[in-house]
Coordinates of all heavy atoms in Angstrom, one line a residue:
M96 N 98.7 118.4 89.2 CA 98.0 118.2 90.4 C 98.9 117.5 91.4 O 99.7 116.7 91.0 CB 96.7 117.4 90.2 CG 96.0 117.1 91.5 SD 94.5 116.2 91.3 CE 95.0 114.6 91.6
E97 N 98.8 117.9 92.6 CA 99.5 117.2 93.7 C 99.1 115.8 93.8 O 98.0 115.4 93.4 CB 99.2 117.9 95.0 CG 100.0 117.5 96.2 CD 101.4 118.0 96.1 OE1 101.7 118.9 95.4 OE2 102.2 117.4 96.9
E98 N 100.0 114.9 94.2 CA 99.7 113.5 94.3 C 98.5 113.3 95.3 O 98.4 113.9 96.3 CB 100.9 112.8 94.9 CG 100.8 111.3 95.1 CD 102.0 110.6 95.7 OE1 103.0 111.3 95.9 OE2 101.9 109.4 95.9
T99 N 97.7 112.3 95.0 CA 96.6 111.9 95.8 C 97.1 110.9 96.8 O 97.6 109.9 96.4 CB 95.4 111.4 95.0 OG1 95.0 112.4 94.1 CG2 94.2 111.0 95.9
L100 N 96.8 111.1 98.1 CA 97.2 110.2 99.2 C 96.0 109.5 99.7 O 94.9 110.0 99.8 CB 97.8 111.0 100.3 CG 99.0 111.9 100.0 CD1 99.4 112.8 101.2 CD2 100.2 111.1 99.5
V101 N 96.1 108.2 99.9 CA 95.1 107.4 100.5 C 95.4 107.2 102.0 O 96.4 106.7 102.4 CB 94.9 106.0 99.8 CG1 93.8 105.2 100.5 CG2 94.6 106.2 98.3
N102 N 94.4 107.7 102.8 CA 94.6 107.6 104.3 C 93.5 106.7 104.9 O 92.4 106.6 104.4 CB 94.4 109.0 104.9 CG 95.4 110.0 104.4 OD1 96.6 109.8 104.5 ND2 94.9 111.0 103.7
H103 N 93.9 106.0 105.9 CA 93.0 105.1 106.7 C 92.8 105.8 108.0 O 93.7 105.7 108.9 CB 93.5 103.7 106.8 CG 93.6 103.0 105.5 ND1 94.6 103.2 104.6 CD2 92.8 102.1 104.9 CE1 94.4 102.5 103.5 NE2 93.3 101.8 103.6
L104 N 91.7 106.5 108.3 CA 91.5 107.3 109.5 C 90.6 106.7 110.5 O 89.6 106.1 110.1 CB 91.0 108.7 109.0 CG 91.9 109.5 108.0 CD1 91.2 110.8 107.7 CD2 93.3 109.7 108.5
G105 N 90.9 107.0 111.7 CA 90.0 106.6 112.8 C 89.9 105.1 113.1 O 90.6 104.3 112.4
P106 N 89.2 104.8 114.1 CA 89.1 103.4 114.5 C 88.5 102.5 113.5 O 88.8 101.3 113.4 CB 88.3 103.4 115.8 CG 87.6 104.7 115.9 CD 88.4 105.6 115.0
S107 N 87.6 103.0 112.6 CA 87.0 102.2 111.6 C 87.8 102.2 110.3 O 87.4 101.6 109.3 CB 85.6 102.7 111.3 OG 85.7 104.0 110.7
K108 N 89.0 102.8 110.3 CA 89.9 102.8 109.2 C 89.2 103.4 108.0 O 89.2 102.9 106.9 CB 90.5 101.5 108.9 CG 91.2 100.9 110.0 CD 92.4 101.7 110.4 CE 93.3 101.0 111.5 NZ 94.2 101.9 112.1
L109 N 88.5 104.5 108.2 CA 87.8 105.2 107.1 C 88.8 105.6 106.0 O 89.8 106.1 106.3 CB 87.1 106.5 107.6 CG 86.3 107.4 106.7 CD1 85.1 106.6 106.2 CD2 85.9 108.6 107.4
I110 N 88.4 105.2 104.7 CA 89.4 105.4 103.6 C 89.1 106.8 103.0 O 88.0 107.0 102.5 CB 89.3 104.3 102.6 CG1 89.7 103.0 103.2 CG2 90.2 104.6 101.4 CD1 89.5 101.8 102.4
V111 N 90.1 107.7 103.0 CA 89.9 109.1 102.5 C 91.1 109.3 101.6 O 92.2 109.1 101.9 CB 90.0 110.1 103.7 CG1 89.8 111.5 103.2 CG2 88.9 109.8 104.7
E112 N 90.7 109.8 100.4 CA 91.7 110.2 99.4 C 91.9 111.7 99.6 O 91.0 112.5 99.6 CB 91.3 109.8 98.0 CG 91.3 108.3 97.9 CD 91.2 107.8 96.5 OE1 91.7 108.5 95.6 OE2 90.5 106.8 96.3
S113 N 93.2 112.2 99.6 CA 93.5 113.6 99.9 C 94.6 114.1 99.0 O 95.4 113.4 98.5 CB 94.0 113.7 101.4 OG 93.0 113.2 102.3
T114 N 94.5 115.4 98.8 CA 95.6 116.2 98.1 C 96.0 117.3 99.0 O 95.2 117.8 99.8 CB 95.1 116.8 96.8 OG1 94.0 117.7 97.0 CG2 94.7 115.7 95.8
N115 N 97.2 117.6 99.0 CA 97.8 118.7 99.8 C 98.8 119.5 99.0 O 100.0 119.4 99.2 CB 98.4 118.0 101.0 CG 98.8 119.0 102.1 OD1 98.4 120.2 102.0 ND2 99.4 118.6 103.2
P116 N 98.3 120.4 98.1 CA 99.1 121.1 97.2 C 100.0 122.2 98.0 O 99.6 122.6 99.1 CB 98.2 121.8 96.2 CG 96.9 121.9 97.0 CD 96.9 120.7 97.9
P117 N 101.1 122.6 97.4 CA 101.9 123.6 98.0 C 101.1 124.9 98.2 O 100.3 125.2 97.3 CB 103.1 123.8 97.1 CG 103.1 122.6 96.2 CD 101.7 122.1 96.2
G118 N 101.3 125.6 99.3 CA 100.6 126.8 99.5 C 99.2 126.7 100.0 O 98.5 127.7 100.1
C119 N 98.7 125.5 100.3 CA 97.3 125.3 100.6 C 97.0 125.8 102.1 O 95.9 125.9 102.5 CB 96.9 123.9 100.5 SG 97.6 122.8 101.7
K120 N 98.0 126.1 102.8 CA 97.8 126.6 104.2 C 96.9 127.8 104.3 O 96.3 128.0 105.3 CB 99.1 126.8 104.9 CG 100.0 125.6 105.0 CD 99.4 124.5 105.8 CE 100.3 123.3 105.8 NZ 99.7 122.1 106.1
D121 N 96.8 128.6 103.3 CA 96.1 129.8 103.3 C 94.6 129.6 102.9 O 93.8 130.5 102.9 CB 96.7 130.9 102.4 CG 98.1 131.3 102.8 OD1 98.4 131.2 104.1 OD2 98.9 131.7 102.0
Q122 N 94.3 128.4 102.4 CA 92.9 128.1 102.0 C 92.2 127.2 102.9 O 92.8 126.4 103.7 CB 93.0 127.3 100.6 CG 93.8 128.1 99.5 CD 92.9 129.2 98.9 OE1 91.8 129.5 99.4 NE2 93.4 129.8 97.8
V123 N 90.9 127.3 102.9 CA 90.0 126.4 103.7 C 90.0 125.1 103.0 O 89.7 125.0 101.8 CB 88.6 127.0 103.8 CG1 87.7 126.0 104.6 CG2 88.6 128.3 104.6
P124 N 90.2 123.9 103.7 CA 90.1 122.6 103.0 C 88.7 122.3 102.5 O 87.7 122.8 103.1 CB 90.5 121.6 104.2 CG 91.1 122.5 105.2 CD 90.6 123.8 105.1
I125 N 88.7 121.5 101.5 CA 87.4 121.1 100.9 C 87.2 119.6 101.2 O 88.1 118.8 101.0 CB 87.3 121.3 99.4 CG1 87.5 122.8 99.1 CG2 86.0 120.7 98.8 CD1 87.6 123.1 97.7
V126 N 86.1 119.2 101.8 CA 85.8 117.8 102.1 C 84.6 117.4 101.2 O 83.5 118.0 101.2 CB 85.4 117.6 103.5 CG1 85.0 116.1 103.8 CG2 86.6 118.0 104.4
F127 N 84.8 116.3 100.4 CA 83.8 115.8 99.5 C 83.2 114.5 100.1 O 83.9 113.6 100.6 CB 84.4 115.4 98.1 CG 85.0 116.6 97.4 CD1 86.3 116.9 97.4 CD2 84.1 117.3 96.6 CE1 86.8 117.9 96.7 CE2 84.6 118.4 95.8 CZ 86.0 118.7 95.9
L128 N 81.9 114.4 100.1 CA 81.2 113.2 100.6 C 80.2 112.8 99.6 O 79.3 113.5 99.2 CB 80.5 113.6 101.9 CG 79.7 112.5 102.6 CD1 80.6 111.3 103.0 CD2 79.0 113.0 103.8
H129 N 80.4 111.6 99.0 CA 79.5 111.1 97.9 C 78.2 110.5 98.4 O 78.0 110.3 99.6 CB 80.3 110.0 97.1 CG 80.6 108.8 97.9 ND1 79.6 107.8 98.1 CD2 81.7 108.3 98.6 CE1 80.2 106.8 98.8 NE2 81.4 107.1 99.1
G130 N 77.3 110.2 97.5 CA 76.1 109.6 97.8 C 76.1 108.1 97.4 O 77.2 107.5 97.1
A131 N 75.0 107.5 97.3 CA 74.9 106.1 97.0 C 75.4 105.7 95.6 O 75.2 106.5 94.7 CB 73.4 105.6 97.1
G132 N 76.1 104.6 95.6 CA 76.6 104.1 94.3 C 77.9 104.8 93.8 O 78.3 104.6 92.7
C133 N 78.5 105.7 94.6 CA 79.7 106.4 94.2 C 80.8 106.1 95.2 O 80.7 105.2 96.0 CB 79.4 107.9 94.1 SG 78.2 108.4 92.9
G134 N 81.9 106.8 95.0 CA 83.1 106.7 95.9 C 83.9 107.9 95.7 O 83.6 108.9 94.9
S135 N 85.1 107.9 96.2 CA 86.0 109.1 96.1 C 86.4 109.3 94.6 O 86.6 110.4 94.2 CB 87.3 108.9 96.9 OG 88.0 107.7 96.5
W136 N 86.3 108.3 93.8 CA 86.6 108.4 92.4 C 85.7 109.4 91.7 O 86.1 110.0 90.7 CB 86.5 107.0 91.7 CG 85.1 106.4 91.8 CD1 84.7 105.5 92.8 CD2 83.9 106.7 91.1 NE1 83.4 105.2 92.7 CE2 82.9 105.9 91.6 CE3 83.7 107.5 90.0 CZ2 81.6 105.9 91.1 CZ3 82.4 107.5 89.5 CH2 81.4 106.7 90.0
Y137 N 84.5 109.6 92.2 CA 83.5 110.5 91.6 C 84.0 112.0 91.6 O 83.6 112.8 90.8 CB 82.2 110.4 92.4 CG 81.1 111.2 91.8 CD1 80.4 110.6 90.7 CD2 80.7 112.4 92.3 CE1 79.3 111.3 90.2 CE2 79.6 113.1 91.8 CZ 78.9 112.6 90.7 OH 77.9 113.2 90.2
F138 N 84.9 112.3 92.6 CA 85.4 113.6 92.7 C 86.8 113.9 92.1 O 87.4 114.9 92.4 CB 85.4 114.0 94.2 CG 84.1 113.9 94.8 CD1 83.8 112.9 95.7 CD2 83.1 114.8 94.5 CE1 82.5 112.8 96.3 CE2 81.8 114.7 95.1 CZ 81.5 113.7 96.0
K139 N 87.4 112.9 91.4 CA 88.7 113.1 90.9 C 88.9 114.4 90.1 O 89.9 115.1 90.4 CB 89.1 111.9 90.0 CG 89.3 110.6 90.7 CD 90.5 110.6 91.6 CE 90.7 109.2 92.2 NZ 91.7 109.2 93.2
N140 N 88.0 114.7 89.2 CA 88.2 115.9 88.4 C 88.1 117.1 89.2 O 88.8 118.1 89.1 CB 87.2 115.9 87.2 CG 87.5 114.9 86.2 OD1 88.7 114.5 86.0 ND2 86.5 114.5 85.4
A141 N 87.1 117.1 90.2 CA 86.9 118.3 91.0 C 88.2 118.5 91.9 O 88.6 119.6 92.1 CB 85.7 118.2 91.9
M142 N 88.7 117.4 92.5 CA 89.9 117.5 93.3 C 91.0 118.0 92.5 O 91.8 118.8 93.0 CB 90.2 116.1 94.0 CG 89.2 115.7 95.0 SD 89.5 114.1 95.7 CE 91.0 114.4 96.6
K143 N 91.2 117.5 91.3 CA 92.3 118.0 90.4 C 92.2 119.5 90.2 O 93.2 120.2 90.4 CB 92.2 117.3 89.1 CG 93.3 117.6 88.1 CD 93.2 116.8 86.9 CE 94.3 117.2 85.9 NZ 94.3 116.4 84.7
W144 N 91.0 120.0 89.9 CA 90.8 121.4 89.7 C 91.1 122.2 91.0 O 91.8 123.2 91.0 CB 89.5 121.7 89.1 CG 89.4 123.2 88.7 CD1 89.8 123.7 87.5 CD2 88.9 124.3 89.5 NE1 89.6 125.1 87.5 CE2 89.1 125.4 88.7 CE3 88.4 124.4 90.7 CZ2 88.7 126.7 89.1 CZ3 88.0 125.6 91.2 CH2 88.2 126.8 90.4
F145 N 90.4 121.9 92.1 CA 90.6 122.6 93.3 C 92.0 122.6 93.8 O 92.5 123.6 94.3 CB 89.6 122.1 94.4 CG 88.2 122.6 94.2 CD1 87.2 121.8 93.8 CD2 87.9 124.0 94.4 CE1 85.9 122.3 93.6 CE2 86.6 124.5 94.3 CZ 85.6 123.6 93.8
S146 N 92.7 121.4 93.6 CA 94.1 121.4 94.0 C 94.9 122.3 93.2 O 95.9 122.9 93.7 CB 94.6 119.9 93.9 OG 94.0 119.1 94.8
S147 N 94.6 122.4 91.9 CA 95.4 123.3 91.1 C 95.2 124.8 91.5 O 96.0 125.7 91.2 CB 95.0 123.2 89.6 OG 93.7 123.7 89.3
Q148 N 94.1 125.0 92.2 CA 93.8 126.4 92.7 C 94.4 126.6 94.1 O 94.1 127.6 94.8 CB 92.3 126.6 92.7 CG 91.7 126.5 91.3 CD 92.3 127.4 90.3 OE1 92.4 128.6 90.5 NE2 92.8 126.9 89.2
G149 N 95.1 125.6 94.7 CA 95.7 125.7 96.0 C 94.9 125.1 97.1 O 95.3 125.4 98.3
F150 N 93.8 124.4 96.9 CA 93.0 123.9 98.0 C 93.4 122.5 98.4 O 93.6 121.6 97.5 CB 91.5 123.9 97.6 CG 90.8 125.2 97.5 CD1 90.8 126.0 96.3 CD2 90.2 125.8 98.6 CE1 90.2 127.2 96.3 CE2 89.6 127.0 98.6 CZ 89.6 127.7 97.4
E151 N 93.5 122.3 99.6 CA 93.6 120.9 100.2 C 92.2 120.2 100.0 O 91.2 120.8 100.4 CB 94.0 121.0 101.6 CG 94.2 119.7 102.4 CD 94.5 120.0 103.8 OE1 95.0 121.1 104.2 OE2 94.4 119.0 104.6
C152 N 92.2 119.0 99.5 CA 91.0 118.3 99.3 C 91.0 116.9 99.9 O 92.0 116.3 100.0 CB 90.7 118.1 97.8 SG 90.6 119.6 96.8
H153 N 89.8 116.5 100.4 CA 89.6 115.2 101.1 C 88.3 114.6 100.5 O 87.3 115.2 100.7 CB 89.6 115.4 102.6 CG 90.7 116.1 103.1 ND1 91.9 115.4 103.4 CD2 90.9 117.4 103.4 CE1 92.8 116.3 103.9 NE2 92.2 117.5 103.9
A154 N 88.4 113.4 100.0 CA 87.2 112.7 99.5 C 87.0 111.5 100.3 O 87.8 110.5 100.3 CB 87.4 112.4 98.0
I155 N 85.9 111.4 101.0 CA 85.6 110.3 101.9 C 85.0 109.2 101.1 O 84.1 109.4 100.2 CB 84.6 110.8 103.0 CG1 85.2 111.9 103.8 CG2 84.1 109.6 103.8 CD1 84.2 112.6 104.8
N156 N 85.3 108.0 101.4 CA 84.7 106.8 100.9 C 83.8 106.2 102.0 O 84.3 105.8 103.1 CB 85.7 105.7 100.5 CG 86.4 106.1 99.2 OD1 85.8 105.9 98.2 ND2 87.6 106.6 99.3
L157 N 82.5 106.2 101.8 CA 81.6 105.6 102.8 C 82.0 104.1 102.9 O 82.5 103.5 102.0 CB 80.2 105.8 102.4 CG 79.7 107.2 102.3 CD1 78.2 107.2 101.8 CD2 79.8 107.9 103.6
R158 N 81.6 103.6 104.1 CA 81.9 102.1 104.3 C 81.4 101.3 103.2 O 80.2 101.4 102.8 CB 81.3 101.8 105.6 CG 81.5 100.3 106.1 CD 81.0 100.1 107.4 NE 79.5 100.3 107.5 CZ 78.9 100.7 108.5 NH1 79.5 100.9 109.7 NH2 77.6 100.9 108.5
G159 N 82.2 100.4 102.6 CA 81.8 99.5 101.6 C 81.9 100.1 100.2 O 81.6 99.5 99.2
H160 N 82.4 101.3 100.0 CA 82.5 102.0 98.7 C 84.0 102.1 98.2 O 84.2 102.8 97.2 CB 81.9 103.4 98.8 CG 80.4 103.4 98.8 ND1 79.7 103.1 99.9 CD2 79.5 103.7 97.8 CE1 78.4 103.2 99.7 NE2 78.3 103.5 98.4
H161 N 84.9 101.4 98.7 CA 86.3 101.4 98.3 C 86.7 99.9 98.2 O 86.3 99.1 99.1 CB 87.1 102.2 99.2 CG 88.5 102.4 98.7 ND1 89.5 101.5 98.8 CD2 89.1 103.4 98.0 CE1 90.6 101.9 98.3 NE2 90.4 103.1 97.8
P162 N 87.5 99.5 97.2 CA 87.9 98.1 97.1 C 88.6 97.6 98.3 O 88.6 96.4 98.6 CB 88.9 98.2 95.9 CG 88.5 99.4 95.1 CD 88.0 100.3 96.1
D163 N 89.3 98.5 99.1 CA 89.9 98.0 100.3 C 89.0 97.9 101.5 O 89.5 97.6 102.6 CB 91.1 99.0 100.6 CG 92.2 98.9 99.6 OD1 92.3 97.9 98.8 OD2 93.1 99.8 99.6
N164 N 87.7 98.2 101.3 CA 86.8 98.3 102.5 C 85.5 97.8 102.1 O 84.5 98.4 102.2 CB 86.7 99.8 102.9 CG 85.9 99.9 104.2 OD1 85.6 99.0 104.9 ND2 85.6 101.1 104.5
K165 N 85.5 96.5 101.7 CA 84.2 95.9 101.3 C 83.4 95.4 102.5 O 84.0 95.0 103.5 CB 84.4 94.7 100.3 CG 85.0 95.1 99.0 CD 83.9 95.8 98.2 CE 84.4 96.2 96.8 NZ 83.5 97.1 96.1
V166 N 82.1 95.6 102.5 CA 81.3 95.1 103.6 C 80.1 94.4 102.9 O 79.7 94.6 101.8 CB 80.8 96.2 104.5 CG1 81.9 96.8 105.2 CG2 80.0 97.2 103.7
L167 N 79.4 93.5 103.7 CA 78.2 92.9 103.3 C 77.1 93.9 103.1 O 77.0 94.9 103.8 CB 77.7 91.8 104.3 CG 78.7 90.7 104.6 CD1 78.2 89.9 105.8 CD2 78.8 89.8 103.4
T168 N 76.2 93.6 102.1 CA 75.1 94.5 101.8 C 74.3 94.8 103.1 O 73.8 95.9 103.3 CB 74.3 94.0 100.7 OG1 75.1 93.9 99.5 CG2 73.1 94.9 100.4
S169 N 74.1 93.7 103.8 CA 73.3 93.8 105.1 C 73.9 94.8 106.0 O 73.2 95.4 106.8 CB 73.1 92.5 105.7 OG 74.4 91.9 106.1
E170 N 75.2 95.0 106.0 CA 75.9 96.0 106.9 C 75.8 97.4 106.2 O 75.6 98.4 106.9 CB 77.3 95.6 107.2 CG 77.5 94.4 108.1 CD 76.8 94.7 109.4 OE1 77.1 95.7 110.0 OE2 76.1 93.8 109.9
F171 N 76.0 97.4 104.9 CA 76.0 98.7 104.2 C 74.7 99.4 104.4 O 74.7 100.6 104.5 CB 76.4 98.4 102.7 CG 76.2 99.6 101.9 CD1 77.0 100.7 102.0 CD2 75.1 99.7 101.0 CE1 76.8 101.8 101.2 CE2 74.9 100.8 100.2 CZ 75.8 101.9 100.3
I172 N 73.6 98.7 104.2 CA 72.3 99.4 104.3 C 71.9 99.9 105.7 O 71.0 100.6 105.8 CB 71.2 98.5 103.7 CG1 71.0 97.2 104.6 CG2 71.4 98.1 102.3 CD1 69.8 96.4 104.2
K173 N 72.8 99.6 106.7 CA 72.5 100.2 108.0 C 73.1 101.6 108.2 O 72.8 102.2 109.2 CB 73.2 99.2 109.0 CG 72.5 97.9 109.1 CD 73.2 97.0 110.2 CE 72.6 95.6 110.2 NZ 73.3 94.8 111.2
L174 N 73.8 102.1 107.2 CA 74.3 103.5 107.3 C 73.2 104.5 107.4 O 72.1 104.3 106.8 CB 75.1 103.8 106.0 CG 76.5 103.2 105.9 CD1 77.1 103.6 104.5 CD2 77.4 103.6 107.0
D175 N 73.4 105.4 108.3 CA 72.4 106.5 108.4 C 73.1 107.8 108.6 O 74.3 107.9 108.5 CB 71.4 106.2 109.6 CG 72.2 106.1 111.0 OD1 73.3 106.6 111.1 OD2 71.6 105.5 111.9
V176 N 72.3 108.9 108.8 CA 72.8 110.2 108.9 C 73.9 110.4 110.0 O 74.9 111.0 109.8 CB 71.7 111.3 109.1 CG1 72.3 112.7 109.3 CG2 70.8 111.3 107.8
E177 N 73.7 109.7 111.1 CA 74.7 109.7 112.2 C 76.0 109.2 111.7 O 77.1 109.7 112.1 CB 74.2 109.0 113.4 CG 73.1 109.7 114.1 CD 72.6 108.9 115.3 OE1 73.2 108.0 115.7 OE2 71.5 109.3 115.8
D178 N 76.0 108.2 110.9 CA 77.3 107.6 110.3 C 78.0 108.7 109.5 O 79.2 108.8 109.6 CB 77.0 106.4 109.5 CG 76.6 105.2 110.3 OD1 77.2 104.9 111.4 OD2 75.6 104.6 110.0
F179 N 77.2 109.4 108.6 CA 77.8 110.4 107.8 C 78.5 111.5 108.7 O 79.6 112.0 108.4 CB 76.8 111.1 106.9 CG 76.3 110.2 105.8 CD1 75.6 109.0 105.9 CD2 76.6 110.6 104.5 CE1 75.2 108.3 104.9 CE2 76.2 109.9 103.4 CZ 75.5 108.7 103.6
V180 N 77.8 111.9 109.7 CA 78.3 112.9 110.7 C 79.6 112.4 111.3 O 80.6 113.1 111.4 CB 77.3 113.3 111.7 CG1 77.9 114.2 112.8 CG2 76.1 114.0 111.0
D181 N 79.6 111.1 111.7 CA 80.8 110.5 112.4 C 82.0 110.5 111.4 O 83.1 110.8 111.7 CB 80.5 109.1 112.8 CG 79.6 109.0 114.0 OD1 79.4 110.1 114.7 OD2 79.0 107.9 114.3
Y182 N 81.7 110.2 110.1 CA 82.8 110.2 109.1 C 83.3 111.6 108.9 O 84.6 111.7 108.8 CB 82.2 109.7 107.8 CG 81.8 108.2 107.7 CD1 81.0 107.7 106.7 CD2 82.3 107.3 108.7 CE1 80.7 106.4 106.7 CE2 81.9 106.0 108.7 CZ 81.1 105.5 107.7 OH 80.8 104.2 107.6
L183 N 82.5 112.6 108.9 CA 83.0 113.9 108.7 C 83.8 114.4 109.9 O 84.8 115.0 109.8 CB 81.8 114.9 108.5 CG 81.1 114.9 107.2 CD1 79.8 115.7 107.2 CD2 82.0 115.4 106.1
D184 N 83.4 114.0 111.1 CA 84.1 114.3 112.3 C 85.5 113.7 112.3 O 86.5 114.3 112.6 CB 83.4 113.8 113.6 CG 82.2 114.6 114.0 OD1 82.1 115.8 113.5 OD2 81.4 114.1 114.8
V185 N 85.6 112.4 111.8 CA 86.9 111.8 111.7 C 87.9 112.5 110.8 O 89.0 112.8 111.1 CB 86.8 110.3 111.2 CG1 88.1 109.7 110.8 CG2 86.1 109.5 112.3
V186 N 87.3 112.9 109.6 CA 88.1 113.6 108.7 C 88.5 115.0 109.2 O 89.7 115.4 109.1 CB 87.4 113.8 107.3 CG1 88.2 114.7 106.4 CG2 87.2 112.4 106.7
L187 N 87.6 115.7 109.8 CA 87.9 117.1 110.3 C 88.9 117.1 111.4 O 89.7 118.0 111.6 CB 86.6 117.8 110.7 CG 85.7 118.1 109.5 CD1 84.4 118.7 110.0 CD2 86.3 119.0 108.5
E188 N 89.0 116.0 112.2 CA 90.0 115.8 113.2 C 91.4 115.8 112.6 O 92.4 116.1 113.3 CB 89.8 114.6 114.0 CG 88.6 114.6 115.0 CD 88.4 113.3 115.7 OE1 89.2 112.4 115.6 OE2 87.3 113.2 116.3
H189 N 91.5 115.3 111.4 CA 92.8 115.1 110.7 C 93.2 116.2 109.7 O 94.2 116.2 109.1 CB 92.9 113.8 110.1 CG 92.8 112.7 111.0 ND1 91.7 112.1 111.5 CD2 93.8 112.0 111.6 CE1 92.0 111.2 112.4 NE2 93.3 111.1 112.5
V190 N 92.3 117.2 109.5 CA 92.6 118.3 108.6 C 93.4 119.4 109.2 O 93.2 119.7 110.4 CB 91.2 118.8 108.0 CG1 91.5 120.1 107.2 CG2 90.5 117.8 107.2

């Protein structure tokens, strides 16, 4: 598998783990977005497999779900659907 890169994207420094295997330019990128209690780690096996098939992969870490991006629980529970859409927009701007 191609090396996994950790990127800090956008003004909120959204943490995204990405793979960019050789020849992926011909494939549509895959963006993974986890649910509660997970993080980009949840998609490691899927990213490994899709990367081996030539797909560029991006796994988003929601705010507070990565060791480098801890937040207070009171801030974390304020996440809503609009935040998810904003996170996807940030990643898609960089794909």
